[in-house]
Amino acid sequence: MKRIYSHFWFILNLVFAFGYSLIWLKVAFAAKYSVQADASMYVFWMQRFLDPALLPNDLNVAYHESISPVGYTALFKGIASLGVPPMLASKLLPIVLTLTTTVYCFNFCLQLLPIPATAFVSTLLFNQHLWLTDDVNSATPRAFVYPFFFAFLYYLNRGANVRAIVAIGLLGLFYPTMMFVAVGVLAVRLVSWTKGRLWLSQRRGDYLLLAAAIGMAGLTLLPYGLFGHAEFGPLVTAAQARAMPEFQAPLGRISFFNHRDPLDFWFDGIHSGLGLSLNPLIVSVGLLLPVLWCYPRQFPLVQQCRPAMALLLQILIAAIGFFLAAHALLFHLFLPSRYTLHSLRMVVAIAGGVALCILIDAAVRAYQQRWQGKTARLVAWGIAVLVAVPLLFFPQIFWAKHFTRAGLVAGTHPALYEFFQQQPKDSLIATLSAEADNLPVFAQRSVLVSGKYAIPYHPAYYNQIRQRAIALIHAQYSFDGAAVRELIQKYGVDFWLVERTAFTPAYLDSRWLKLFEPANTEARAQLATTKPPVLAQMMDRCKVFESGNFVVLQADCLRKET
């Protein structure tokens, strides 16, 4: 009977997880041209697995291929070998990831508090939180954190050390920062607080497990050392980043420095802060768990919690430790937030479910003690149900427009994409339009520069992007046809995509274009004159396609006519 009871709550979790996935699928396939924003950045170059002729000699492709985690790349390459397009795979993988996460999360929660209903609530809260963010629906490397990390926790607590080490290896192959947190958990477990003092573990197996984890981490990082980033050199230094507008809030592509409020920098900054998120709001109840823990008589369910509950605290200590180390060694350990963002999401959601059930249990017990009898029990559990129903359907009711849709981008210019799809596969498009972000995905053609792909972590890559952007701004707003010809010849541009509104000062107010000074200011000065730039004069003469506000100019025509 007890097993049936547990299976009921487990299956119910899977039902909700699958239901959330179906909502995502409906949204993801609602439009012909739609993609999750981060997925487009990570997966666009993988279209070459099916057609190597696509995006040839593309700087953006070379860079993003070099920084993609080894395991992530291998997975999509394997899927593509089965004939499944990578962009399609990125929309289907969230189902697998959600269900796998649900399985491990539920079983891990049972190890903390062996009450299936509580495991159900914690897992449900985590799934709701997951689908309110842009993690799992992106199918990017960070989406793999949750199934692998929960698997690590489950096997660790079960004593299946070999499987726990394998889970650590998978974390390293897909998302190395969380692999460090997992290794950190094993290190923190060596220390305990008993009778008012710290004690080191006396179990030899704990040290062997940590050594094995460090060894596995070293093996998984080896490919990155041999192949990763070599083409584009070392990461940007802290001193270099402080001098770059790309790292300054609020305009920078990576808005790390110059936050107006120190609290925003340390707690809410997407790159620099802890990244504590309390969505859905009910998970904030988890912050009360340490308080409830101190009053076991008033909250009897606390007494049923197992020692494994200490893992939640150990995760926090390990994550915050690496968070502080990443700040101290900026950017050698990459971004500080990447250690706490995902860790806090898991800990807070689980703690929220446990705390909520402890509170409901205490309320039901108190009511039953005061009002005896069968009717009192029915009323008490009726109240519990009234609390549970909003919990089950909160996201669908209050976040219907956002639930599962985080970061979803729909292409709004299908005619433009289809025009470029008909052009040679080695075509290169120059444009300052925001549509440059979509063309490599929807049109499968290379762009000279794009705000989305202009990641400033590696100077050897980003300096080239910055030079291209400055040259493009200069050429597009120049009175001299030589600047246009020089850009076309230097980079091998085939088409120039221009918006008719591009020759107004307001167009240069784009957050991305403001980064390129003094080119932006010089372009504004040129627009202030009565003479139109050369490119504006050539729009009707060299036009090969027009759709709405967009005009496509043929580079050969521009080279001959300017």
Side-chain angles (χ1 to χ4, degrees):
M1 187 66 184
K2 187 176 181 180
R3 180 172 295 183
I4 294 175
Y5 176 68
S6 180
H7 287 171
F8 167 77
W9 290 110
F10 174 66
I11 292 171
L12 192 59
N13 260 144
L14 290 177
V15 168
F16 274 93
F18 188 67
Y20 296 157
S21 299
L22 290 180
I23 297 173
W24 156 249
L25 286 180
K26 181 180 178 181
V27 172
F29 289 99
K32 180 180 180 181
Y33 294 105
S34 68
V35 66
Q36 206 281 337
D38 289 336
S40 66
M41 188 168 65
Y42 277 91
V43 182
F44 83 99
W45 66 271
M46 295 185 182
Q47 299 170 106
R48 290 170 50 82
F49 291 152
L50 288 179
D51 187 351
L54 290 175
L55 309 172
N57 306 312
D58 190 311
L59 176 62
N60 296 321
V61 168
Y63 177 70
H64 285 83
E65 181 178 5
S66 76
I67 64 172
S68 290
V70 177
Y72 185 74
T73 300
L75 174 66
F76 273 85
K77 192 170 186 178
I79 293 174
S81 69
L82 301 176
V84 180
M87 296 311 302
L88 174 60
S90 73
K91 293 183 178 182
L92 298 177
L93 273 173
I95 305 174
V96 178
L97 295 173
T98 300
L99 293 175
T100 306
T101 299
T102 299
V103 170
Y104 281 112
C105 183
F106 180 88
N107 285 287
F108 172 65
C109 290
L110 274 183
Q111 293 175 336
L112 304 182
L113 180 59
I115 299 177
T118 303
F120 165 78
V121 172
S122 292
T123 306
L124 179 69
L125 283 176
F126 182 74
N127 271 329
Q128 290 177 351
H129 180 84
L130 205 55
W131 283 106
L132 284 169
T133 67
D134 60 354
D135 287 336
V136 70
N137 71 347
S138 70
T140 55
R142 66 178 183 268
F144 292 79
V145 165
Y146 305 108
F148 294 154
F149 202 86
F150 275 122
F152 160 70
L153 295 174
Y154 170 70
Y155 290 126
L156 174 64
N157 196 53
R158 190 181 173 186
N161 293 340
V162 173
R163 295 183 183 184
I165 295 299
V166 170
I168 287 177
L170 290 171
L171 281 169
L173 292 173
F174 281 80
Y175 203 84
T177 52
M178 285 302 291
M179 176 189 68
F180 294 142
V181 175
V183 175
V185 168
L186 296 180
V188 173
R189 287 176 77 242
L190 298 179
V191 182
S192 60
W193 179 268
T194 308
K195 297 180 180 180
R197 58 174 292 187
L198 292 175
W199 297 84
L200 283 176
S201 174
Q202 301 300 309
R203 294 190 297 269
R204 181 169 174 267
D206 291 342
Y207 294 92
L208 291 176
L209 181 60
L210 176 60
I214 294 173
M216 175 61 79
L219 286 174
T220 56
L221 291 177
L222 191 59
Y224 297 103
L226 293 176
F227 309 112
H229 319 334
E231 182 179 351
F232 297 98
L235 280 165
V236 64
T237 66
Q240 290 173 327
R242 286 190 177 92
M244 295 170 63
E246 288 79 4
F247 284 91
Q248 310 304 315
L251 294 178
R253 175 68 171 80
I254 306 297
S255 52
F256 194 94
F257 301 106
N258 287 345
H259 288 261
R260 295 179 181 178
D261 185 352
L263 291 177
D264 180 53
F265 177 82
W266 287 103
F267 291 94
D268 196 44
I270 189 171
H271 303 296
S272 61
L274 288 170
L276 176 62
S277 176
L278 299 176
N279 265 333
L281 189 58
I282 191 68
V283 300
S284 59
V285 177
L287 302 177
L288 296 175
L289 187 58
V291 178
L292 303 180
W293 196 268
C294 296
Y295 298 95
R297 291 183 60 187
Q298 290 81 358
F299 302 99
L301 210 59
V302 168
Q303 300 175 35
Q304 296 188 42
C305 291
R306 291 181 173 173
M309 191 69 74
L311 271 172
L312 299 184
L313 178 59
Q314 292 162 358
I315 294 169
L316 289 180
I317 294 173
I320 293 174
F322 275 106
F323 169 81
L324 296 175
H327 269 288
L329 300 173
L330 204 68
F331 290 87
H332 296 290
L333 292 177
F334 198 45
L335 297 174
S337 65
R338 298 306 183 257
Y339 296 95
T340 52
L341 184 68
H342 308 290
S343 304
L344 288 176
R345 284 177 179 171
M346 290 183 278
V347 170
V348 171
I350 292 171
V354 172
L356 185 63
C357 289
I358 289 174
L359 289 171
I360 292 174
D361 174 76
V364 170
R365 288 173 186 267
Y367 190 89
Q368 289 178 341
Q369 289 175 1
R370 184 171 181 181
W371 305 98
Q372 300 295 325
K374 185 176 180 180
T375 302
R377 287 195 295 272
L378 289 174
V379 172
W381 284 109
I383 294 172
V385 170
L386 289 176
V387 173
V389 170
L391 167 69
L392 297 177
F393 301 103
F394 176 86
Q396 300 92 311
I397 296 172
F398 298 101
W399 292 83
K401 293 183 179 180
H402 185 73
F403 191 58
T404 76
R405 300 169 184 259
L408 191 67
V409 174
T412 54
H413 304 284
L416 181 67
Y417 311 142
E418 289 159 9
F419 168 78
F420 281 124
Q421 287 171 9
Q422 297 168 7
Q423 307 312 312
K425 294 179 181 180
D426 61 351
S427 297
L428 179 63
I429 305 161
T431 182
L432 294 176
S433 168
E435 275 302 313
D437 296 346
N438 295 327
L439 294 178
V441 180
F442 298 145
Q444 300 180 343
R445 297 297 180 268
S446 297
V447 293
L448 184 66
V449 289
S450 159
K452 176 186 291 184
Y453 303 116
I455 302 176
Y457 293 128
H458 291 83
Y461 164 72
Y462 187 72
N463 288 342
Q464 296 182 62
I465 294 298
R466 184 172 179 82
Q467 290 170 6
R468 289 182 175 197
I470 290 173
L472 182 54
I473 293 172
H474 176 65
Q476 183 156 312
Y477 294 98
S478 176
F479 300 137
D480 186 0
V484 174
R485 293 193 300 273
E486 181 182 351
L487 183 88
I488 292 172
Q489 292 169 359
K490 181 176 181 179
Y491 296 109
V493 172
D494 297 290
F495 297 97
W496 204 308
L497 174 63
V498 184
E499 294 178 83
R500 290 198 176 275
T501 56
F503 300 100
T504 62
Y507 191 83
L508 292 166
D509 288 336
S510 160
R511 172 183 170 183
W512 184 57
L513 295 181
K514 281 185 175 181
L515 295 174
F516 305 108
E517 293 291 357
N520 188 289
T521 299
E522 292 171 353
R524 290 176 186 277
Q526 289 168 315
L527 290 176
T529 66
T530 56
K531 183 180 179 180
V534 169
L535 208 66
Q537 299 176 42
M538 294 291 104
M539 287 182 70
D540 292 325
R541 193 179 307 176
C542 293
K543 176 177 66 178
V544 292
F545 176 81
E546 183 172 7
S547 177
N549 188 41
F550 291 98
V551 178
V552 179
L553 310 179
Q554 190 173 56
D556 282 343
C557 174
L558 290 172
R559 190 176 53 191
K560 294 174 183 177
E561 297 292 333
T562 56

